[in-house]
Amino acid sequence: MNTILSAEGLGTLAYIFLVFLLAGTVKGVVGLGLPTVAVGLLGIVMAPREAAALLIIPSLVTNAWQLAAGPGLADLLRRLWPMLAAIVAGTLAGGALLPPGGAAGAGAALGGALMLYAASGLAAFRLDVAPHAERHAGPLVGLATGLITAATGVFVIPAVPYLGGLRLERDALVQALGLAFTASTCALAAALLLAGQWRLHAAGLSLYALAPALLGMWLGQHLRGRIRPALFRRCFFAGLLALGLHLMLAPFIR
C-alpha cells in the first residue's frame, strides 16, 4: 500500500475496485457477503488485517443502509445487546492478544473461516435457538464472533447461523444482521486503531473502496429480480469454499 502511485500500486487499486464491486453486488443480491467476499479476495494479495483495514468504511456505510431498511431497531437492540456487547469485547480482546504484524497463520485461519461458512451454507445448515437459550447463547456467540473477527477480519461465524436460528421475520433478520455487522465493524476499527494499523493511507484506501461497494450494491439490487436467488447463493458459497481452500493451502505451496 506504500507504492500506491507506482505501476504496481495502480494494479492494486484496480484489483481493490473490482473486489469491492463484486462484494457489493453479492450483498445487493443476497443481503450479506460484502466483508466475507472482500476480505477473502484481498487476502490473496495482502495480510488479512490489511484487508480488514480497507473494509471499515464500505462496511459501515452499507450496513447503515441495511439497518435503515427494517422497522424494529429498538426492539432488536433490546433483544440482541448482550451478543453485540460480547462481539465488541471479543474483537478488542482478540486484537490486543494478536501480534502487531498479524499471526503467521492468519491467511490459513481466514481460509478456514471461509470454508466453514461456505460449508454451512451449501449444507443449508440451520440452527434452532430456543427463546430460553438466548440469554446464555448470545454472549457466547458474540465472544466467539469477536475473536474470529480480530483474527481474520470476517464476522459471519458463528453470528450469522445464530441469528438465522432466532426465528426472526425476513426484514427483522436483515436488520439484525446489519446490527451485528455494524458492531463488528466498529469494534474491528477500534482494534486496528489501537494496534496502529488503521492509519491515514489505509483510511484513504477504505474511502476509495466505498464507491465500487455502493455501485455493486445498486447493481445487485437490480439483478435480484432477474436471477434465481437459490442458484446465486449456491454459486456464492461454492466460490467461497474454493477461495477458502486456496487460502488454507497457499502457505504450503509457495
Side-chain angles (χ1 to χ4, degrees):
M1 288 191 284
N2 293 326
T3 58
I4 202 66
L5 296 179
S6 67
E8 180 183 354
L10 292 176
T12 301
L13 278 178
Y15 184 72
I16 291 170
F17 186 95
L18 292 174
V19 164
F20 277 93
L21 181 66
L22 175 61
T25 302
V26 171
K27 186 176 179 71
V29 174
V30 301
L32 72 163
L34 186 146
T36 314
V37 172
V39 173
L41 289 174
L42 291 173
I44 297 174
V45 298
M46 62 183 71
R49 276 194 169 186
E50 290 181 341
L54 302 191
L55 177 70
I56 300 300
I57 293 176
S59 182
L60 280 176
V61 173
T62 55
N63 286 323
W65 185 346
Q66 188 168 334
L67 276 175
L73 182 58
D75 289 340
L76 282 174
L77 275 171
R78 280 192 292 270
R79 182 175 181 178
L80 298 177
W81 75 262
M83 183 192 80
L84 300 176
I87 285 175
V88 174
T91 305
L92 293 176
L97 291 172
L98 286 173
L110 172 59
L114 293 180
M115 290 186 68
L116 181 61
Y117 179 49
S120 67
L122 288 171
F125 173 74
R126 181 170 182 133
L127 287 173
D128 189 9
V129 182
H132 67 271
E134 284 186 47
R135 180 180 177 184
H136 302 291
L140 292 175
V141 167
L143 184 62
T145 300
L147 292 172
I148 293 172
T149 297
T152 68
V154 172
F155 31 80
V156 292
I157 294 293
V160 170
Y162 172 77
L163 291 173
L166 294 182
R167 308 172 191 172
L168 298 170
E169 296 293 333
R170 177 174 173 78
D171 288 345
L173 176 59
V174 169
Q175 198 168 35
L177 290 169
L179 268 176
F181 296 160
T182 299
S184 295
T185 304
C186 290
L188 182 60
L192 291 170
L193 277 170
L194 291 172
Q197 293 181 309
W198 206 61
R199 298 190 178 96
L200 185 61
H201 67 282
L205 283 179
S206 185
L207 183 61
Y208 161 77
L210 176 61
L214 291 177
L215 176 60
M217 275 195 74
W218 179 80
L219 289 172
Q221 289 175 345
H222 281 270
L223 284 172
R224 189 184 297 166
R226 295 183 171 92
I227 60 178
R228 293 169 53 195
L231 177 61
F232 186 89
R233 288 179 71 91
R234 283 197 295 273
C235 293
F236 165 59
F237 285 123
L240 280 187
L241 188 66
L243 177 59
L245 181 62
H246 169 77
L247 290 170
M248 282 196 73
L249 294 179
F252 305 103
I253 59 179
R254 284 173 184 168

